[in-house]
Amino acid sequence: MKRTTLTLAISFCAIATLAGGTAAAQDKTAAASSALDKFVGSGSCTGKSLDSNMKAFHAITGKFSGEKVLDGNWVVIHYDEDQSAAAPKPYHVIQYIGYDAAKKRYVATMVDNSGSGHFSGTSPGFKGDSITFDESTGGKPASFRDTFTTSQGLSSHVGTMRDKTGKWVKTDEETCKSS
């Protein structure tokens, strides 16, 4: 009888510990997902972007909007560059950002109108108000980075890519204001 009681007591403690661990993991996932609220909203951006020849920057303007989707587990960000003489084919992108609880990191998937397909990226998380995603396509090592600053909503973005020597080179930079 004592063995049965002891076995049951240990089983109940194990179940309680697992349930507590599950609750803690759910709390952490909820906190990570709520951090994505920083991307919710809309506004306009101004900045600069490299020309298609990758030699000179030109001024850009555009609009962004971000909303929580898929039961609040993801945020989708739309960015639409304005057409101008310097940007006759404006850049458009849709980026989904979520949290991978199993790997304890943020993930991003991006598609754009550049004809290069899609990119996926990961980030260990926010450092202050900024988050950086290392992005790649086709399973290759990360060749792009997107850094977002979210001090009061989406406030800036910096894009970089690896050059032929492996050095990170800025491709675009925008300052954004919520509307």
Side-chain angles (χ1 to χ4, degrees), residues 36 56 89 93:
L36 299 175
K89 183 183 176 195
V93 62

Side-chain angles (χ1 to χ4, degrees), residues 14-71:
I15 290 169
T17 301
L18 288 174
T22 301
Q26 288 172 339
D27 288 347
K28 186 170 184 175
T29 300
S33 290
S34 71
L36 299 175
D37 292 345
K38 298 174 183 181
F39 291 106
V40 174
S42 60
S44 58
C45 303
T46 59
K48 61 184 181 177
S49 181
L50 273 177
D51 291 330
S52 58
N53 63 12
M54 305 298 279
K55 293 184 180 180
F57 283 93
H58 64 272
I60 58 171
T61 60
K63 294 175 182 53
F64 73 90
S65 65
E67 66 177 308
K68 288 291 243 348
V69 295
L70 302 170
D71 297 330

Side-chain angles (χ1 to χ4, degrees), residues 87-108:
K89 183 183 176 195
Y91 182 70
H92 303 286
V93 62
I94 299 172
Q95 187 160 12
Y96 287 87
I97 300 173
Y99 184 73
D100 181 342
K103 295 191 178 182
K104 297 180 175 75
R105 63 184 181 184
Y106 288 88
V107 294

